């Protein structure tokens, strides 16, 4: 009998190529809102947006802001940081539909979930983000047939790593047992910390040499999908 039965997968950075989706959506938003008339688009501007976006998501994970504050705050900070004038609300409204077009997968992601489903695991997606955008991206990705259900923070009312997000998930998975559940994700602050908060084992998927500065506890460090498969299919 397998040690685990329920695999709770993060989406962005674990299966979905968020970096590509974000870059395309942000660049198109920048031009659609006419910001290029003030300053030519550049990779440095994209990096500035990414930094501010990550900063605001960190605030949400720590309970320091609301979701609407995040959506507007990241654009307001980006504009201020780069000496640009613009409307954060208009940027937000332009950006999200464009982000929803980004359903690209990380290389090997579909084969990973296909093999795990064939091995008899029950797969679920647990993702922070805007519900309509995430659902559109998942539909475009082609991953939905492999998953029993998808839980999005906007729908649950809580964001990872809040244990209440996981309580919501647990209550909606038939026959769920925490001892037989496993979180798989790339983010220490949301996925792996969330697993720890909820009393679940976890696989920290870290293909790059990321540092665990806060010593977040995890069950396994995987540098590749192959390591995940060896752990789950060869046990």
């Amino acid at each position: 009998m397998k040690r685990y039965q329920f695999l709770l997968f993060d989406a962005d950075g674990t299966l979905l190529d968020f970096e590509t989706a974000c870059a395309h959506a942000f660049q198109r938003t920048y031009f659609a809102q006419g910001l290029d008339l003030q300053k030519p688009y550049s990779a440095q501007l994209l990096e500035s947006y990414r930094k501010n976006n990550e900063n605001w998501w960190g605030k949400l994970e720590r309970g320091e802001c609301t979701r609407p504050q995040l959506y507007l705050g990241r654009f307001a900070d980006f504009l201020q940081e780069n000496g640009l004038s613009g409307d954060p609300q208009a940027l937000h409204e332009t950006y999200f539909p464009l982000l929803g077009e980004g359903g690209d997968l990380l290389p090997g992601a579909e084969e990973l979930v296909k093999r795990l489903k064939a091995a008899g695991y029950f797969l679920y997606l647990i993702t922070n983000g805007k519900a309509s955008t995430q659902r559109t991206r998942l539909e475009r990705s082609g991953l939905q047939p492999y998953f029993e259900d998808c839980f999005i923070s906007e729908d649950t009312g809580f964001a990872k790593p809040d244990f209440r997000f996981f309580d919501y998930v647990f209550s909606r998975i038939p026959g769920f047992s925490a001892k037989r559940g496993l979180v798989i994700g790339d983010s220490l602050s949301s996925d792996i910390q969330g697993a720890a908060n909820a009393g679940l084992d976890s696989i920290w998927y870290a293909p790059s040499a990321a540092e665990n500065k806060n010593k977040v506890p995890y069950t396994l460090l995987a540098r590749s999908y192959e390591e995940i498969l060896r752990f789950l299919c060869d046990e």
Side-chain angles (χ1 to χ4, degrees):
M1 183 177 179
K2 289 183 172 60
R3 178 178 177 183
Y4 303 106
Q5 182 179 13
F6 307 96
L7 304 183
L8 310 181
F9 268 95
D10 170 54
D12 287 315
T14 303
L15 299 172
L16 294 181
D17 185 351
F18 177 75
E19 294 304 319
T20 295
C22 173
H24 289 169
F26 176 76
Q27 182 175 15
R28 291 173 65 186
T29 298
Y30 192 86
F31 283 99
Q33 289 296 311
L35 298 181
D36 58 305
L37 301 177
Q38 300 178 53
K39 182 180 290 188
Y41 181 80
S42 67
Q44 289 73 27
L45 289 168
L46 173 60
E47 184 58 32
S48 172
Y49 169 72
R50 281 176 166 159
K51 180 190 71 175
N52 284 294
N53 183 50
E54 183 177 341
N55 178 52
W56 276 93
W57 274 105
K59 289 182 180 182
L60 183 69
E61 291 170 3
R62 295 188 298 271
E64 297 172 1
C65 73
T66 64
R67 192 173 298 274
Q69 287 172 333
L70 179 162
Y71 291 155
L72 301 187
R74 58 185 176 180
F75 284 114
D77 286 355
F78 165 77
L79 292 169
Q80 182 178 21
E81 183 175 289
N82 292 282
L84 296 166
S85 61
D87 180 359
Q89 181 67 40
L91 287 164
H92 160 74
E93 292 175 357
T94 301
Y95 174 77
F96 263 130
L98 295 173
L99 183 64
E101 297 177 7
D104 292 343
L105 294 174
L106 293 171
E110 183 171 8
E111 180 63 21
L112 170 67
V113 297
K114 181 179 181 180
R115 289 181 61 181
L116 290 171
K117 186 173 180 65
Y121 290 102
F122 294 103
L123 277 58
Y124 294 85
L125 277 168
I126 54 170
T127 176
N128 284 344
K130 188 172 178 61
S132 59
T133 301
Q134 291 299 76
R135 287 199 183 91
T136 301
R137 295 179 63 222
L138 290 170
E139 288 172 4
R140 291 173 176 269
S141 75
L143 289 183
Q144 282 188 316
Y146 302 104
F147 287 86
E148 305 297 320
D149 207 342
C150 173
F151 300 100
I152 304 173
S153 60
E154 188 178 55
D155 289 335
T156 70
F158 307 100
K160 298 178 292 182
D162 194 319
F163 74 91
R164 290 172 293 183
F165 172 91
F166 290 90
D167 283 348
Y168 179 98
V169 171
F170 299 166
S171 69
R172 286 160 176 80
I173 296 179
F176 184 81
S177 164
K179 292 182 179 179
R180 304 206 65 199
L182 179 73
V183 171
I184 303 171
D186 69 303
S187 172
L188 282 168
S189 62
S190 64
D191 306 319
I192 308 307
Q193 185 62 62
N197 292 346
L200 295 172
D201 285 354
S202 62
I203 294 179
W204 178 27
Y205 175 59
S208 61
E211 183 180 356
N212 188 358
K213 295 181 181 179
N214 294 325
K215 308 300 181 184
V216 180
Y218 56 84
T219 307
L220 178 75
L221 168 63
R223 297 293 189 188
S224 67
Y225 290 155
E226 288 72 21
E227 290 185 25
I228 295 174
L229 286 169
R230 283 197 295 272
F231 180 68
L232 291 173
C233 294
D234 296 341
E235 62 176 6

